[in-house]
Amino acid sequence: MKKERLVILGGGESGVGTALLAKSKGYDVFVSDKGKIKEKYKDVLLNNEIEFEDEQHTESKILNADIIMKSPGIPDKVALVKQIREKGIKVVSEIEFASKFSEATLVAITGSNGKTTTATLTHHVLKQELDVGLAGNIGDSFAKQILEKNHDNYVLEISSFQLDDIIDFKPKIAVLTNITPDHLDRYDYKFENYIASKFRVVENQTEEDYFIYDADDEVILDYMKTHQIQSKKLPFSLTKKIDEGAYLDNNNIIITIDNNKIIMPTDNLALEGKHNVKNAMAASTVAHLLKIRKQTIRESLENFQGVEHRLEHVLKINKVQYINDSKATNVNATYFALESMDAPTVWIVGGVDKGNEYRELFKFVNEKVKAIICLGVDNAKLMESFENMVDVIIETQYMSEAVKIAYKLANAGDNVLLSPACASFDLFENYEDRGRQFKNAVRNL
């Protein structure tokens, strides 16, 4: 019998992980990357005798596939992807392909913001008592973990791009942290397309599965008014009393599932800010569902270290606190960052604008921001939006220079906040590179 041919577009973490899993399951595998494949991934492909190409796509070797796994970074608008779709070849994402080979309990976490923190926090709580992997957009690929570790449970951080290419993917527990306009360039600048994409996380769920979501998010509530969701709903809220799900009452998180109630004080939560109370609610609801002991949940929430590049306190120099929030790649993430500032702030912002609307930041800029440093190739929109709000607004294209300017502008007791509200690809490799350059520049002051 002829082997099924799987072609993988993209030789990064998810692509190479999928290649390894597919080869072990008897597929004929070919990896193709338009860019350069990193040496560490090339070595893995060579050592495992998996055929690959980089810096090109050979159509004859791609269009003869039975199934194609494409990297979430490749948009559907690309000519090659259009050809693949026209030929009717099945296109899947890594999570779709890999989940077929796992019997594990899957917790899928998506949302415009907070998904990395919520996924990392959920994993941190669960791993105290369960065998659990963390994958999706974080760490080692899901496919590779199924091949090498095959955990009983997985927490998956999932982007809308990964959800766009699912067919049967069905998590036991789905979490939707929030929906705000993001990546609209990939969704024909139609917010409703992006919303529908996020909700695909529940599309295959049945009444035996669970859906945990933010009941304070109007976008989510509006969608649910007109779309039927099969799974059992467990909302969380900071403002409403919730019978089944989680809510806040006098600094306590109250979680009720099937008349089983637990109370978690928020006074000692490791992460500060209202948005992190929500992340804690989502994580502890998952933990409660999976029968983690109350004491374990509480201790885990109190000793969690947070996520790199997400409101990460770097150093205090001359009584000025430097904060790395490079992971804030959209306006809503920066909204939370500015909201949590408790001192006059020098704000470093800018990068690739994804169709941003800055108006929601105005009140915090007026209240808390003393100076703005625009760090991007094109800062025109930022300058236009904010120049009348602050006394000092400066442009630069170098992180080291941005940090030196901030050092001069900040006084004792102030904050210097890198929270770009934009993607990083104009000046940096990715948001991690941007965050690391910020931290290095601060340490070199």
Side-chain angles (χ1 to χ4, degrees), residues 10 93 95 166 221:
S93 59
I95 53 164
I166 64 166
L221 297 183

mmCIF file of all heavy atoms in Angstrom, residues 10 93 95 166 221:
data_model
loop_
_atom_site.group_PDB
_atom_site.id
_atom_site.type_symbol
_atom_site.label_atom_id
_atom_site.label_comp_id
_atom_site.label_asym_id
_atom_site.label_seq_id
_atom_site.Cartn_x
_atom_site.Cartn_y
_atom_site.Cartn_z
ATOM 1 N N GLY A 10 6.848 25.116 6.090
ATOM 2 C CA GLY A 10 7.407 25.806 7.258
ATOM 3 C C GLY A 10 8.262 24.857 8.086
ATOM 4 O O GLY A 10 7.766 23.855 8.597
ATOM 5 N N SER A 93 -3.635 22.261 10.472
ATOM 6 C CA SER A 93 -2.598 22.849 11.329
ATOM 7 C C SER A 93 -1.965 21.741 12.167
ATOM 8 O O SER A 93 -2.480 20.615 12.224
ATOM 9 C CB SER A 93 -3.213 23.915 12.235
ATOM 10 O OG SER A 93 -4.219 23.357 13.048
ATOM 11 N N ILE A 95 -1.894 21.357 15.381
ATOM 12 C CA ILE A 95 -2.728 20.817 16.476
ATOM 13 C C ILE A 95 -3.776 19.841 15.952
ATOM 14 O O ILE A 95 -4.124 18.869 16.622
ATOM 15 C CB ILE A 95 -3.410 21.933 17.305
ATOM 16 C CG1 ILE A 95 -4.186 22.893 16.405
ATOM 17 C CG2 ILE A 95 -2.411 22.681 18.178
ATOM 18 C CD1 ILE A 95 -5.166 23.761 17.151
ATOM 19 N N ILE A 166 -8.301 23.765 11.546
ATOM 20 C CA ILE A 166 -8.714 22.541 12.235
ATOM 21 C C ILE A 166 -9.918 21.950 11.508
ATOM 22 O O ILE A 166 -10.644 22.647 10.803
ATOM 23 C CB ILE A 166 -9.070 22.769 13.728
ATOM 24 C CG1 ILE A 166 -10.290 23.682 13.871
ATOM 25 C CG2 ILE A 166 -7.875 23.293 14.515
ATOM 26 C CD1 ILE A 166 -10.913 23.681 15.257
ATOM 27 N N LEU A 221 -19.988 37.813 24.397
ATOM 28 C CA LEU A 221 -21.408 37.677 24.734
ATOM 29 C C LEU A 221 -22.291 37.883 23.506
ATOM 30 O O LEU A 221 -23.256 37.146 23.295
ATOM 31 C CB LEU A 221 -21.803 38.668 25.838
ATOM 32 C CG LEU A 221 -21.091 38.477 27.189
ATOM 33 C CD1 LEU A 221 -21.621 39.474 28.205
ATOM 34 C CD2 LEU A 221 -21.236 37.058 27.721
#
